Coordinates of all heavy atoms in Angstrom, one line a residue:
E1 N 12.8 6.3 -14.5 CA 12.5 6.1 -13.0 C 11.2 5.4 -12.8 O 11.1 4.6 -11.9 CB 12.6 7.5 -12.3 CG 13.9 8.2 -12.4 CD 13.9 9.6 -11.8 OE1 12.8 9.9 -11.3 OE2 14.9 10.2 -11.8
N2 N 10.2 5.8 -13.6 CA 8.9 5.2 -13.5 C 8.9 3.7 -13.8 O 8.3 2.9 -13.1 CB 7.9 5.8 -14.4 CG 7.5 7.2 -14.0 OD1 7.6 7.5 -12.8 ND2 7.0 8.0 -14.9
I3 N 9.7 3.3 -14.8 CA 9.9 1.9 -15.1 C 10.5 1.1 -14.0 O 10.1 0.0 -13.7 CB 10.7 1.7 -16.4 CG1 9.9 2.2 -17.6 CG2 11.1 0.2 -16.6 CD1 10.6 2.2 -18.9
E4 N 11.5 1.7 -13.3 CA 12.1 1.0 -12.2 C 11.1 0.8 -11.0 O 11.1 -0.2 -10.4 CB 13.3 1.8 -11.7 CG 14.5 1.8 -12.7 CD 15.6 2.8 -12.2 OE1 15.4 3.4 -11.1 OE2 16.6 2.9 -12.9
I5 N 10.2 1.8 -10.8 CA 9.2 1.7 -9.8 C 8.2 0.6 -10.2 O 7.8 -0.2 -9.3 CB 8.4 3.0 -9.7 CG1 9.3 4.1 -9.1 CG2 7.2 2.8 -8.8 CD1 8.7 5.5 -9.1
I6 N 7.8 0.5 -11.4 CA 6.9 -0.6 -11.9 C 7.5 -2.0 -11.7 O 6.9 -2.9 -11.2 CB 6.6 -0.4 -13.4 CG1 5.8 0.8 -13.6 CG2 5.8 -1.6 -13.9 CD1 5.6 1.2 -15.1
N7 N 8.8 -2.1 -12.0 CA 9.5 -3.4 -11.8 C 9.5 -3.8 -10.3 O 9.3 -5.0 -10.0 CB 10.9 -3.4 -12.3 CG 10.9 -3.4 -13.8 OD1 10.1 -3.9 -14.5 ND2 12.0 -2.8 -14.4
R8 N 9.7 -2.9 -9.4 CA 9.7 -3.2 -8.0 C 8.3 -3.6 -7.6 O 8.1 -4.5 -6.8 CB 10.1 -2.0 -7.2 CG 11.6 -1.7 -7.3 CD 12.1 -0.8 -6.2 NE 11.4 0.5 -6.2 CZ 11.9 1.6 -6.8 NH1 13.1 1.5 -7.5 NH2 11.3 2.7 -6.8
K9 N 7.3 -2.9 -8.1 CA 5.9 -3.2 -7.8 C 5.5 -4.6 -8.3 O 4.8 -5.3 -7.6 CB 5.0 -2.2 -8.4 CG 3.6 -2.1 -7.8 CD 3.6 -1.7 -6.4 CE 2.2 -1.6 -5.8 NZ 2.2 -1.2 -4.4
Y10 N 6.0 -5.0 -9.4 CA 5.8 -6.3 -10.0 C 6.2 -7.4 -9.0 O 5.5 -8.4 -8.8 CB 6.5 -6.4 -11.3 CG 6.4 -7.8 -11.9 CD1 5.2 -8.3 -12.5 CD2 7.5 -8.6 -11.9 CE1 5.2 -9.5 -13.0 CE2 7.5 -9.9 -12.5 CZ 6.3 -10.3 -13.0 OH 6.3 -11.6 -13.6
H11 N 7.4 -7.2 -8.4 CA 7.9 -8.2 -7.4 C 7.1 -8.2 -6.2 O 6.9 -9.3 -5.5 CB 9.4 -7.9 -7.1 CG 10.3 -8.2 -8.3 ND1 10.5 -9.5 -8.8 CD2 11.0 -7.4 -9.0 CE1 11.4 -9.4 -9.8 NE2 11.7 -8.1 -10.0
D12 N 6.5 -7.1 -5.8 CA 5.6 -7.0 -4.6 C 4.4 -7.8 -4.8 O 3.8 -8.3 -3.8 CB 5.3 -5.6 -4.3 CG 6.5 -4.7 -3.8 OD1 7.5 -5.4 -3.4 OD2 6.4 -3.5 -3.8
L13 N 4.0 -8.0 -6.1 CA 2.7 -8.7 -6.3 C 2.8 -10.2 -5.8 O 1.8 -10.7 -5.3 CB 2.4 -8.8 -7.8 CG 1.9 -7.5 -8.5 CD1 1.8 -7.7 -10.0 CD2 0.6 -7.1 -7.9
K14 N 4.0 -10.8 -5.8 CA 4.1 -12.1 -5.3 C 3.7 -12.2 -3.8 O 3.1 -13.2 -3.4 CB 5.5 -12.6 -5.5 CG 5.9 -12.8 -7.0 CD 7.2 -13.4 -7.2 CE 8.3 -12.5 -6.8 NZ 9.7 -13.0 -7.0
H15 N 4.1 -11.2 -3.1 CA 3.8 -11.2 -1.7 C 2.3 -10.9 -1.4 O 1.7 -11.4 -0.5 CB 4.7 -10.1 -0.9 CG 6.1 -10.3 -1.1 ND1 6.8 -11.4 -0.5 CD2 7.1 -9.6 -1.8 CE1 8.1 -11.3 -0.8 NE2 8.3 -10.3 -1.6
Q16 N 1.8 -10.0 -2.3 CA 0.3 -9.7 -2.2 C -0.5 -11.0 -2.4 O -1.6 -11.1 -1.8 CB 0.0 -8.6 -3.2 CG 0.6 -7.3 -2.8 CD 0.3 -6.2 -3.9 OE1 -0.6 -6.4 -4.7 NE2 0.9 -5.0 -3.7
I17 N -0.1 -11.8 -3.4 CA -0.9 -13.0 -3.6 C -0.9 -13.9 -2.4 O -2.0 -14.5 -2.1 CB -0.2 -13.8 -4.8 CG1 -0.4 -13.0 -6.1 CG2 -0.8 -15.2 -4.9 CD1 0.4 -13.6 -7.3
A18 N 0.2 -14.0 -1.6 CA 0.2 -14.8 -0.4 C -0.8 -14.2 0.6 O -1.5 -15.0 1.3 CB 1.6 -14.8 0.2
V19 N -0.9 -12.9 0.7 CA -1.8 -12.2 1.6 C -3.3 -12.6 1.2 O -4.1 -12.9 2.1 CB -1.6 -10.7 1.6 CG1 -2.7 -10.0 2.4 CG2 -0.2 -10.4 2.2
V20 N -3.6 -12.5 -0.1 CA -4.9 -12.8 -0.5 C -5.3 -14.2 -0.2 O -6.4 -14.5 0.2 CB -5.0 -12.5 -2.1 CG1 -6.4 -13.0 -2.6 CG2 -4.9 -11.1 -2.4
R21 N -4.4 -15.1 -0.4 CA -4.7 -16.5 -0.1 C -5.0 -16.8 1.3 O -5.9 -17.6 1.7 CB -3.5 -17.4 -0.6 CG -3.4 -17.6 -2.1 CD -2.2 -18.4 -2.4 NE -2.2 -18.7 -3.9 CZ -1.1 -19.2 -4.5 NH1 0.0 -19.4 -3.8 NH2 -1.2 -19.5 -5.8
A22 N -4.4 -16.0 2.2 CA -4.6 -16.2 3.6 C -5.8 -15.4 4.2 O -6.2 -15.7 5.3 CB -3.3 -15.8 4.4
E23 N -6.3 -14.5 3.4 CA -7.4 -13.6 3.9 C -8.7 -14.3 3.8 O -9.2 -14.8 2.8 CB -7.5 -12.3 3.1 CG -8.6 -11.4 3.5 CD -8.5 -11.0 4.9 OE1 -7.4 -10.4 5.3 OE2 -9.4 -11.2 5.7
R24 N -9.5 -14.4 5.0 CA -10.8 -15.1 5.1 C -11.9 -14.1 4.8 O -13.0 -14.6 4.4 CB -10.9 -15.7 6.4 CG -9.9 -16.9 6.7 CD -10.1 -17.5 8.0 NE -9.1 -18.6 8.3 CZ -9.3 -19.8 7.9 NH1 -10.4 -20.1 7.3 NH2 -8.4 -20.7 8.1
N25 N -11.7 -12.8 5.1 CA -12.8 -11.9 4.9 C -12.9 -11.6 3.4 O -12.0 -11.1 2.7 CB -12.5 -10.6 5.6 CG -13.6 -9.5 5.5 OD1 -14.0 -9.1 4.5 ND2 -14.1 -9.2 6.7
S26 N -14.1 -11.9 2.8 CA -14.4 -11.7 1.4 C -14.2 -10.3 0.9 O -13.8 -10.1 -0.2 CB -15.7 -12.3 1.0 OG -16.8 -11.6 1.7
D27 N -14.7 -9.3 1.7 CA -14.6 -7.9 1.3 C -13.1 -7.5 1.2 O -12.8 -6.8 0.2 CB -15.3 -7.0 2.3 CG -16.9 -7.2 2.2 OD1 -17.3 -7.7 1.2 OD2 -17.5 -6.9 3.2
K28 N -12.4 -7.8 2.2 CA -10.9 -7.5 2.1 C -10.2 -8.2 1.0 O -9.4 -7.6 0.3 CB -10.3 -7.8 3.5 CG -10.6 -6.9 4.6 CD -9.8 -7.3 5.9 CE -10.2 -6.3 7.0 NZ -9.4 -6.6 8.2
R29 N -10.6 -9.5 0.8 CA -10.0 -10.2 -0.3 C -10.3 -9.6 -1.7 O -9.4 -9.5 -2.5 CB -10.5 -11.7 -0.3 CG -9.8 -12.6 -1.3 CD -10.0 -14.0 -1.0 NE -11.4 -14.4 -1.0 CZ -12.1 -14.8 0.0 NH1 -11.5 -14.9 1.2 NH2 -13.3 -15.1 0.0
E30 N -11.5 -9.1 -1.9 CA -11.9 -8.4 -3.1 C -11.1 -7.1 -3.2 O -10.7 -6.7 -4.3 CB -13.4 -8.1 -3.1 CG -13.9 -7.4 -4.4 CD -13.7 -8.2 -5.6 OE1 -13.7 -9.5 -5.5 OE2 -13.5 -7.7 -6.7
Q31 N -10.9 -6.4 -2.1 CA -10.2 -5.1 -2.2 C -8.7 -5.4 -2.6 O -8.1 -4.7 -3.4 CB -10.2 -4.5 -0.8 CG -9.4 -3.2 -0.7 CD -9.3 -2.6 0.7 OE1 -10.1 -3.0 1.6 NE2 -8.4 -1.7 0.9
Y32 N -8.1 -6.5 -2.0 CA -6.7 -6.8 -2.4 C -6.6 -7.2 -3.9 O -5.7 -6.8 -4.6 CB -6.3 -8.0 -1.5 CG -6.1 -7.7 -0.1 CD1 -6.3 -8.7 0.9 CD2 -5.6 -6.5 0.3 CE1 -6.1 -8.4 2.2 CE2 -5.4 -6.2 1.7 CZ -5.7 -7.2 2.6 OH -5.5 -6.9 4.0
L33 N -7.7 -7.9 -4.3 CA -7.6 -8.3 -5.8 C -7.8 -7.1 -6.7 O -7.1 -7.1 -7.7 CB -8.8 -9.3 -6.0 CG -8.6 -10.7 -5.4 CD1 -9.9 -11.5 -5.6 CD2 -7.4 -11.4 -6.1

């Protein structure tokens, strides 16, 4: 079950990258990273 959760989280990373690219606030960007 944990492995399935990890795989789902891995796909979420692609969406998180888009958020980081759009974020102008350096503190928030560092938190996302």
